[in-house]
Amino acid sequence: MLGLLGAAVAALVDGGAAASGVLVGVGLVLVVLVGGSLMVDAVAGVLPVASLMVALLTFTLQVVLVLLLLAALDGSGLLGDVLDRGWLGGGVIGATMLWLAVQVRLHTTTRLPVYDLADAGPGRLDEGGH
């Protein structure tokens, strides 16, 4: 939604290449970040112990993938004529910042139990009863 708003502003300010740049930048970020989140979620469901390692590895790979895709766009000759370089960068940065803000909000407001007290009986502190 905000990507479309950004593209509309870009089109009014700088024309079609700017709007295309914003849309491609936002789309690139969404594809990479949603794919990474789905991967981390799938691993967390199967092997929760490996979640942090996979999340850190996924983040690193996402940064590398975005850099490779931007380099491929630069090498293709699309930047400048079809896609405005500045607006593409703005779309990537804006979408990334919005994604991070949403993730922080979701993770700080989600209530997840940290530990399970179901195994401990009432008044039972340890095996010795102390």
Side-chain angles (χ1 to χ4, degrees):
M1 180 74 171
L2 288 177
L4 294 176
L5 180 63
V9 169
L12 290 173
V13 172
D14 272 344
S20 298
V22 169
L23 290 175
V24 168
V26 169
L28 182 138
V29 167
L30 285 178
V31 167
V32 171
L33 294 180
V34 168
S37 290
L38 292 174
M39 182 187 313
V40 171
D41 190 48
V43 170
V46 175
L47 191 60
V49 175
S51 297
L52 180 60
M53 180 188 65
V54 171
L56 292 172
L57 180 63
T58 300
F59 176 73
T60 303
L61 292 175
Q62 286 172 328
V63 170
V64 170
L65 183 59
V66 167
L67 288 174
L68 288 173
L69 290 172
L70 289 174
L73 279 174
D74 190 36
S76 72
L78 291 174
L79 292 181
D81 298 330
V82 179
L83 303 172
D84 185 271
R85 185 181 304 266
W87 285 98
L88 176 90
V92 168
I93 292 168
T96 302
M97 297 304 290
L98 181 62
W99 177 269
L100 289 173
V102 168
Q103 291 297 311
V104 167
R105 174 75 175 145
L106 287 174
H107 289 286
T108 56
T109 58
T110 301
R111 295 179 51 108
L112 294 173
V114 178
Y115 52 87
D116 187 13
L117 295 176
D119 293 338
R124 184 173 166 199
L125 298 177
D126 61 12
E127 292 298 323
H130 302 291

